Amino acid sequence: MKKKFILLGVLLALSLSACGSKGTEKADDKTAKTDSKAKTSIDTTGFLVTSINADIQTADPDKTSKDYMVPLNIFDRLVEVEVKDDGSSELVPSLAKSWDISEDGKVYTLHLQEGVKFSNGADFKSDDVVYSLTRMLGVTGAVNGDFVSQIEGADKVMDGSSKELSGVKAIDDYTVEITLSEPYAGFLACLSASPVCMLDKDTTEAAGDKFGIDPSVTVGTGAFKMAEWTVNDSIVLTKNDTYWGGDVSLPGVLIRVIPDSETRNMMFKNGELDILDFDFMIDYIDTYKKEMPDVLHHTPRVGVTYFTFNENIEPLNNVKVREAVCKAINRQEIIDSLMNGVATIENGIFPRGLIGYDSSLPEIKYDPDGAKALLAEAGYPNGFDMEISVDSSSSDTTKTVLEVIASQLNEVGINATIKNYDESTWLATRKDGTLGSFMSTWTADYNDPDNFIYTFFGNEKNTKQRSLNYPDKAVMDRVSAARTIVNADERMAEYDELEKKIVTEDFAWLPMFSKEHYYGVSKNIEGFKPNWAGISDMRFVGFSKK
């Protein structure tokens, strides 16, 4: 009991130090100033009003890896992700109304919606698909080519040796054939990813560098048009009257750029914002739970925070030692003390909300006595020295969690010390495979297990670049081969077995938790549905305002 009391004291002290001055902000401070008017020439009466905490760099989906709110609304993708009532998700048709996949899993024949028009009146046809996929790989400044790099000939477009993507062909105006360099069962999921947007070939080419910057030449088939962008103030989206996907209830969306958390909070309470995203203002959630619980909505982030083991560093190459570390870390106590109730323990590689998530995985239980016994069995009855690495640019919460982990490890005799790295050194050290244990988060880019397991355990290069140095080549070969399994049930069964092998037998990494993404939603808004992956950027089609 005495040790538990000491640990809880450490948790409390660290929690208070991490919150700093922000933890003392009062969410009900009526003196906070708000700036209720956007600098726009457009009448935004009746528009849904939301906010972002920093301005976007571009609305060009091929040239951003983080600003997707505008692209998600003014463009469409060939496939979309839909969340079902039970919280699970599935891929559904969008601009591709149906598709056929060859028996060998290499050829995808997409049948496009007919009669779809871009917001400038141009027809959407197969040539636009060929152009859009090619541009993703080859345009100057492209950052999202990996999503479609499985297409035959993608490597040549990416290295500049070819301007044509040989694996994509327009069979007729509404049929596109895509050939992959090898079977890849996650390809449809990649096509649903936020940046894989379909562009108007002629308009985009004519716009040049103005595309994504000048609203008048940034056109798509989406439910809204980009009407105006006032840098560091606001972005205005207006209803696309030619939208192919049905009636759009909202006349438009006003996206305000508001860096200050308290200003966003007061504007929501004053009715000046319809949606309040609690990203970067987690401290406010408890107040809303107590005072305004009826406006809160939350969804899984479809990401997992994990703790790593570098198996090139002794004694972390000993499975009993890794298991001991896992049993010594009290994940639930960390969640309860530091995460404001917005996290849930995960026990596998695939987080809740992802296709392939397995809720039946055994829990890695907190067991300090068992951890001590394992250390003794492994030949370390007095523990050992262990480095925990942290990027100095990490959030205060991450640093605090690591301090708590170090304290918990010390309780079983492991002398865990935290080493700070500047961001560039941390990344470089991780990439060369020599970084000590660390904690990080991986959030879904596309809705497929491969996006998680292949990234970390797909081959020796991947596991080295994550400083895991997982040594089981047979398992890595299975992870790589699983990408090519055409039968969905068979592939998911293989992922289940691989997940158990890596996590609960090899203890090759420790799943910590997944977070819930909280929003405040005005009672005037109906049809609210956040992005399936829990990212802040969302589609507003289907929303309405009273």
Side-chain angles (χ1 to χ4, degrees):
M1 291 299 293
K2 183 177 180 181
K3 287 184 178 179
K4 187 172 181 70
F5 176 80
I6 292 171
L7 179 56
L8 288 175
V10 171
L11 283 164
L12 179 60
L14 289 169
S15 178
L16 291 174
S17 66
C19 292
S21 60
K22 187 170 181 178
T24 64
E25 288 181 4
K26 295 182 179 180
D28 58 352
D29 182 1
K30 303 301 183 184
T31 65
K33 296 180 180 179
T34 67
D35 180 10
S36 61
K37 292 187 178 181
K39 299 172 183 176
T40 173
S41 61
I42 296 173
D43 181 3
T44 58
T45 302
F47 281 31
L48 181 149
V49 185
T50 188
S51 66
I52 50 180
N53 73 319
D55 206 352
I56 68 173
Q57 300 300 306
T58 178
D60 185 338
D62 297 336
K63 296 182 180 181
T64 180
S65 58
K66 61 184 182 69
D67 297 323
Y68 292 127
M69 187 173 289
V70 175
L72 281 170
N73 286 284
I74 68 174
F75 305 112
D76 288 311
R77 286 131 298 278
L78 294 163
V79 183
E80 297 286 359
V81 177
E82 188 172 275
V83 178
K84 296 186 283 188
D85 292 340
D86 64 359
S88 62
S89 56
E90 62 181 347
L91 299 172
V92 297
S94 184
L95 288 176
K97 63 182 180 181
S98 64
W99 47 82
D100 303 307
I101 306 173
S102 63
E103 288 188 10
D104 65 1
K106 287 184 63 175
V107 182
Y108 288 69
T109 304
L110 308 181
H111 307 285
L112 306 181
Q113 301 279 0
E114 299 182 22
V116 175
K117 291 186 178 294
F118 289 96
S119 58
N120 62 354
D123 292 319
F124 167 71
K125 294 185 178 180
S126 296
D127 285 345
D128 298 306
V129 177
V130 176
Y131 171 76
S132 299
L133 296 177
T134 306
R135 185 180 188 272
M136 276 195 74
L137 294 158
V139 69
T140 301
V143 295
N144 292 311
D146 284 349
F147 288 102
V148 292
S149 61
Q150 309 89 358
I151 298 174
E152 189 177 82
D155 53 341
K156 294 182 179 179
V157 177
M158 293 178 80
D159 68 20
S161 61
S162 176
K163 293 185 178 181
E164 294 185 3
L165 185 55
S166 61
V168 182
K169 292 182 172 60
I171 305 303
D172 57 39
D173 282 349
Y174 298 104
T175 308
V176 177
E177 184 181 88
I178 302 176
T179 302
L180 308 184
S181 55
E182 63 179 9
Y184 178 51
F187 182 65
L188 280 178
C190 286
L191 293 182
S192 74
S194 300
V196 189
C197 300
M198 295 298 104
L199 314 178
D200 175 19
K201 176 182 177 180
D202 294 336
T203 304
T204 305
E205 279 294 284
D209 290 341
K210 292 183 179 180
F211 181 77
I213 304 298
D214 181 349
S216 68
V217 295
T218 307
V219 302
T221 62
F224 298 92
K225 300 181 290 185
M226 187 180 184
E228 188 178 71
W229 177 11
T230 305
V231 175
N232 291 327
D233 180 79
S234 59
I235 303 166
V236 181
L237 309 180
T238 56
K239 175 180 177 180
N240 178 7
D241 292 324
T242 64
Y243 180 54
W244 62 277
D247 183 51
V248 179
S249 297
L250 292 171
V253 178
L254 172 61
I255 304 168
R256 298 293 309 276
V257 181
I258 307 173
D260 181 65
S261 296
E262 182 59 17
T263 300
R264 292 197 300 273
N265 173 54
M266 292 310 304
M267 289 181 70
F268 179 78
K269 287 188 171 183
N270 293 341
E272 299 168 80
L273 287 178
D274 294 309
I275 297 176
L276 180 65
D277 185 350
F278 284 96
D279 259 7
F280 305 109
M281 49 188 301
I282 291 176
D283 293 346
Y284 289 78
I285 294 175
D286 280 345
T287 298
Y288 275 79
K289 283 182 176 180
K290 294 173 185 175
E291 299 179 1
M292 304 171 64
D294 53 333
V295 304
L296 287 178
H297 293 249
H298 60 92
T299 184
R301 278 204 174 275
V302 194
V304 60
T305 296
Y306 57 93
F307 187 81
T308 69
F309 305 101
N310 189 333
E311 296 192 40
N312 276 357
I313 298 176
E314 292 187 0
L316 297 179
N317 55 346
N318 186 313
V319 65
K320 289 185 178 181
V321 170
R322 296 195 300 274
E323 184 179 0
V325 173
C326 291
K327 289 181 180 294
I329 296 175
N330 191 335
R331 297 174 294 167
Q332 191 61 56
E333 193 164 52
I334 290 170
I335 290 170
D336 294 342
S337 301
L338 300 178
M339 305 308 296
N340 286 326
V342 300
T344 304
I345 285 177
E346 291 288 358
N347 291 301
I349 297 171
F350 312 130
R352 64 198 67 236
L354 187 78
I355 291 174
Y357 169 69
D358 183 1
S359 61
S360 68
L361 288 172
E363 182 180 348
I364 303 169
K365 294 185 180 296
Y366 172 60
D367 181 6
D369 291 334
K372 292 176 183 178
L374 283 165
L375 289 173
E377 289 177 31
Y380 298 92
N382 300 316
F384 62 94
D385 293 335
M386 176 181 177
E387 177 189 302
I388 299 176
S389 307
V390 64
D391 170 5
S392 59
S393 67
S394 297
S395 69
D396 288 342
T397 300
T398 295
K399 293 174 183 176
T400 303
V401 170
L402 291 179
E403 292 283 357
V404 172
I405 288 174
S407 175
Q408 292 174 343
L409 293 175
N410 287 337
E411 288 292 315
V412 301
I414 299 172
N415 180 29
T417 57
I418 296 174
K419 182 175 180 179
N420 283 277
Y421 292 79
D422 64 78
E423 183 178 16
S424 60
T425 303
W426 191 90
L427 291 170
T429 307
R430 186 186 69 173
K431 187 175 181 179
D432 69 21
T434 60
L435 195 66
S437 291
F438 61 89
M439 190 179 76
S440 189
T441 300
W442 185 264
T443 304
D445 294 311
Y446 54 93
N447 199 355
D448 192 89
D450 180 76
N451 185 218
F452 284 74
I453 196 167
Y454 186 81
T455 300
F456 297 93
F457 300 100
N459 52 50
E460 292 176 75
K461 177 183 176 182
N462 286 9
T463 191
K464 177 183 177 181
Q465 288 186 340
R466 300 285 167 181
S467 276
L468 298 172
N469 292 300
Y470 181 68
D472 196 328
K473 190 174 186 305
V475 170
M476 289 187 278
D477 287 345
R478 286 175 61 189
V479 171
S480 184
R483 315 179 95 202
T484 68
I485 299 174
V486 176
N487 182 283
D489 291 338
E490 182 183 342
R491 188 166 72 102
M492 294 305 160
E494 174 69 342
Y495 282 139
D496 285 346
E497 293 303 314
L498 286 166
E499 195 173 26
K500 292 172 185 174
K501 168 67 175 169
I502 293 169
V503 177
T504 64
E505 293 181 27
D506 294 343
F507 295 93
W509 79 339
L510 173 63
M512 292 289 291
F513 47 78
S514 60
K515 297 178 183 178
E516 289 287 304
H517 193 162
Y518 274 78
Y519 300 87
V521 181
S522 165
K523 295 178 181 178
N524 292 325
I525 299 300
E526 295 180 337
F528 173 78
K529 185 177 286 188
N531 190 291
W532 73 271
I535 63 174
S536 295
D537 303 321
M538 68 183 72
R539 299 175 72 210
F540 298 109
V541 62
F543 290 30
S544 61
K545 186 172 181 177
K546 296 177 184 178

